[in-house]
């Protein structure tokens, strides 16, 4: 173990700046970029959503990202404890730790449905691996089967509740295994091995897609800004996606910041994380939409884009079996490094609070995810038609699985980020955080302005018009 700070017994630090950056990027880049971004962009009309999303990343996400990591590094403890320490050192109320409590609960709830999707990814890895024996590694996948048949894989899986529960169990089991090993031997290990492989496969597949797909049409779709399409719900979806993608408002960046040493320039690091994350999301759009357009499929297919549309594309691609298999392995690596971060947020809190040892604590937090996620895994079968918050307009028509997604992405993450901006912008002692932020001159003032003014105002406005779209008339 490297660099014990003495803040809390057993407190570990990242072994290097690169390890911290890779782990943070590993957390940020995940199903949010590869599955949720294309799905949300398609469902919200393309360009207006994408451009507003980029606006949110730069002007809201990035300042909040730096704020969260700063709080963590100052506190050197789990998220709520770090906020409490920062508040205490600023002579402010410890009640501000609510921002981390909301975030931690959000991280837990996200993991409950994230792990179910992780399970679907495992299913597709297995299916494509099986295709090696049926179709051969170097031919298109699913030879001799109709496109409808291949598209039917997803509804087939959705109809099989017990299989979904088992896959969810396997995915969360792998996540628990690595989190239980600790920061250096588990989380860092996963990030430093899997993220470079992820980027290699991702680059290969994107270049392949750029040469074979309908690039022009995709660029037009993703970047044509039509102001009339920028409604309250679209803005809320975009800001929610920005937070989800950067892992903000989920206590997670505070948690990882606590393992960062004083020698790391946090402003630069935040910039690298945001750039890597946004690039992967946009490139994922460029990898997926050309195929969708070429095949004349529906852009608003949501999660179906990845799990129904792409498998059909791999059917006709040269070496489709191999590319499909690599593709889903890559998605799995990205999902695992994010899932590990999602589990670490509540686990590190429980670890600091109950001091029961990392392995036992991880088993308990992971076990709870297994239970609640199990209900999400059964949303399309046993619990079909159950809309737990259906009486609230924002949640109308949403089953348990989707309720978790909407509740976290559109309510909890933006609210936690809003409180974070107010806390850092107005409450916390400037001297505590400013000395550590790695910004100088104009950049420092810009960051201060964004956190104190722009973030709170825009977030409140978006939450209001997004949740109550009627207000805009
Ligand atoms: N950022 C991850 C993704 O885009 O898939 C999801 C996520 C991970 C959200 C960790 C929140 C978090 F704390």
């Amino acid at each position: 173990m490297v660099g014990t700070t003495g803040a809390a017994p057993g407190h570990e630090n990242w072994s290097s700046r690169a390890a911290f950056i890779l782990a943070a990027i590993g957390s940020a880049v995940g199903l949010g970029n590869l599955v949720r971004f294309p799905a949300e962009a398609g469902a919200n009309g393309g360009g207006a959503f994408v451009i507003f999303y980029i606006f949110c990343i730069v002007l809201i996400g990035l300042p909040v990202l730096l704020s969260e990591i700063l709080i963590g590094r100052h506190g050197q403890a789990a998220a709520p404890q770090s906020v409490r320490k920062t508040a205490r050192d600023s002579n402010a109320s410890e009640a501000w730790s609510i921002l981390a409590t909301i975030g931690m609960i959000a991280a837990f709830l996200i993991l409950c449905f994230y792990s179910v999707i992780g399970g679907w990814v495992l299913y597709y890895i297995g299916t494509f691996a099986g295709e090696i024996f049926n179709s051969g590694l170097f031919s298109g996948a699913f030879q001799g089967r109709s496109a409808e048949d291949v598209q039917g894989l997803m509804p087939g899986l959705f109809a099989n509740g017990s299989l979904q529960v088992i896959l969810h169990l396997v995915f969360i089991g792998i996540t628990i295994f690595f989190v239980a090993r600790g920061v250096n031997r588990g989380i860092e290990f996963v990030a430093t091995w899997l993220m470079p492989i992820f980027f290699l496969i991702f680059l290969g597949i994107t270049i392949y897609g750029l040469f074979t797909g309908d690039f022009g049409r995709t660029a037009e779709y993703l970047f044509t800004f039509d102001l009339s399409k920028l409604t309250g719900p679209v803005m809320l979806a975009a800001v929610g996606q920005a937070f989800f993608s950067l892992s903000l408002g989920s206590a997670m960046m505070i948690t990882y910041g606590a393992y960062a040493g004083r020698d790391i320039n946090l402003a630069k690091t935040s910039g690298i994380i945001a750039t890597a994350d946004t690039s992967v999301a946009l490139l994922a759009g460029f990898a997926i939409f050309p195929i969708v357009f070429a095949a004349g499929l529906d852009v608003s297919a949501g999660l179906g884009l990845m799990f129904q549309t792409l498998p059909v594309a791999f059917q006709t691609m040269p070496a489709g079996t191999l590319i499909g298999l690599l593709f889903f392995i890559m998605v799995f690596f990205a999902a695992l490094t994010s899932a590990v971060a999602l589990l670490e947020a509540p686990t590190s809190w429980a670890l600091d609070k109950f001091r029961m040892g990392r392995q036992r604590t991880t088993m308990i937090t992971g076990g709870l995810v297994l239970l609640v996620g199990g209900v999400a895994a059964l949303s399309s079968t046993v619990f079909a038609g159950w809309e737990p918050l259906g009486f609230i307009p924002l949640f109308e028509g949403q089953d348990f699985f989707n309720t978790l997604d909407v509740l976290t992405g559109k309510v909890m993450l933006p609210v936690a980020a809003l409180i974070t901006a107010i806390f850092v912008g107005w409450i916390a002692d400037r001297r505590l955080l400013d000395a550590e932020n790695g910004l100088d001159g104009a950049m420092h003032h810009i960051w201060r302005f964004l956190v104190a003014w722009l973030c709170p105002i825009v977030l409140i406005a978006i939450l209001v018009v997004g949740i109550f779209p009627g207000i805009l008339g």
Side-chain angles (χ1 to χ4, degrees):
M1 186 174 79
V2 183
T4 307
T5 60
H11 182 90
E12 290 178 80
N13 271 7
W14 303 112
S15 55
S16 66
R17 173 168 177 261
F20 172 45
I21 292 179
L22 277 174
I25 292 179
S27 146
V29 172
L31 296 171
N33 308 59
L34 305 171
V35 183
R36 201 175 186 274
F37 174 76
E40 290 279 302
N44 289 291
F49 170 90
V50 174
I51 295 191
F52 193 71
Y53 162 79
I54 295 173
F55 164 89
C56 291
I57 291 275
V58 177
L59 295 179
I60 302 175
L62 198 49
V64 172
L65 173 61
L66 177 57
S67 304
E68 290 198 5
I69 304 181
L70 275 173
I71 295 175
R73 185 164 70 179
H74 181 77
Q76 294 284 309
Q81 288 91 329
S82 282
V83 183
R84 228 172 278 139
K85 174 168 166 36
T86 311
R88 242 189 347 261
D89 292 349
S90 310
N91 289 322
S93 161
E94 293 191 10
W96 286 98
S97 65
I98 182 82
L99 71 92
T101 310
I102 297 174
M104 217 173 51
I105 297 171
F108 173 84
L109 295 176
I110 290 173
L111 186 54
C112 293
F113 71 88
Y114 208 86
S115 170
V116 177
I117 307 179
W120 303 345
V121 175
L122 291 175
Y123 173 77
Y124 278 85
I125 292 179
T127 307
F128 275 91
E131 276 307 298
I132 297 174
F133 303 104
N134 286 342
S135 310
L137 194 55
F138 296 106
S139 61
F142 311 111
Q143 295 301 303
R145 286 168 72 173
S146 69
E148 290 77 46
D149 198 17
V150 177
Q151 291 209 24
L153 283 171
M154 188 181 174
L157 174 62
F158 276 27
N160 192 340
S162 40
L163 179 60
Q164 286 195 76
V165 171
I166 292 170
L167 291 165
H168 158 59
L169 171 89
V170 174
F171 187 87
I172 196 66
I174 300 172
T175 309
I176 292 172
F177 173 79
F178 285 109
V179 172
R181 286 172 62 93
V183 175
N184 297 126
R185 286 171 56 238
I187 299 174
E188 206 175 294
F189 175 85
V190 171
T192 43
W193 280 98
L194 300 192
M195 284 320 283
I197 303 178
F198 165 84
F199 275 106
L200 266 180
I201 304 179
F202 185 72
L203 258 174
I205 290 182
T206 312
I207 292 172
Y208 180 89
L210 290 183
F211 281 110
T212 46
D214 192 342
F215 181 83
R217 175 126 185 248
T218 304
E220 192 187 314
Y221 178 70
L222 291 179
F223 293 117
T224 305
F225 187 68
D226 177 355
L227 191 64
S228 67
K229 286 195 180 152
L230 200 60
T231 60
V234 169
M235 287 193 278
L236 182 60
V239 82
Q241 175 61 24
F243 288 138
F244 188 91
S245 194
L246 284 175
S247 310
L248 295 178
S250 55
M252 184 262 124
M253 286 294 174
I254 306 181
T255 309
Y256 274 20
Y259 308 132
R262 300 262 166 233
D263 51 329
I264 297 179
N265 182 323
L266 298 187
K268 254 194 216 148
T269 307
S270 307
I272 296 172
I273 298 168
T275 309
D277 185 63
T278 311
S279 314
V280 172
L282 294 176
L283 286 173
F286 274 101
I288 290 175
F289 283 111
I291 299 170
V292 178
F293 289 135
L297 296 158
D298 179 13
V299 287
S300 60
L303 297 177
L305 280 180
M306 166 145 311
F307 295 105
Q308 283 185 296
T309 311
L310 284 185
V312 175
F314 293 132
Q315 202 177 15
T316 46
M317 260 183 202
T321 307
L322 174 67
I323 297 180
L325 180 62
L326 283 176
F327 181 86
F328 282 103
I329 289 177
M330 164 191 98
V331 178
F332 169 68
F333 284 178
L336 183 63
T337 49
S338 298
V340 158
L342 284 163
L343 188 56
E344 177 64 10
T347 302
S348 73
W349 165 77
L351 203 57
D352 274 12
K353 188 158 176 73
F354 302 112
R355 304 199 182 274
M356 285 188 303
R358 182 171 268 276
Q359 287 193 0
R360 202 187 308 170
T361 309
T362 315
M363 294 292 284
I364 295 173
T365 47
L368 289 171
V369 173
L370 179 62
L371 288 181
V372 181
V375 178
L378 294 172
S379 280
S380 50
T381 50
V382 181
F383 297 107
W386 181 46
E387 298 170 13
L389 298 178
F391 53 92
I392 303 169
L394 185 66
F395 296 94
E396 235 172 68
Q398 311 287 3
D399 60 16
F400 183 70
F401 180 100
N402 287 326
T403 299
L404 292 177
D405 181 63
V406 175
L407 177 65
T408 52
K410 293 190 174 158
V411 182
M412 297 178 83
L413 302 186
V415 167
L418 168 64
I419 305 176
T420 307
I422 297 174
F423 177 67
V424 170
W426 298 97
I427 308 295
D429 188 336
R430 284 171 168 238
R431 280 163 306 177
L432 290 182
L433 302 179
D434 288 8
E436 302 191 355
N437 68 13
L439 291 168
D440 38 42
M443 288 310 286
H444 177 78
H445 293 295
I446 293 173
W447 173 67
R448 275 269 155 218
F449 168 77
L450 293 175
V451 171
W453 293 97
L454 190 96
C455 295
I457 293 172
V458 172
L459 280 174
I460 291 173
I462 293 179
L463 277 165
V464 172
V465 298
I467 296 178
F468 311 101
I471 284 182
L472 285 183

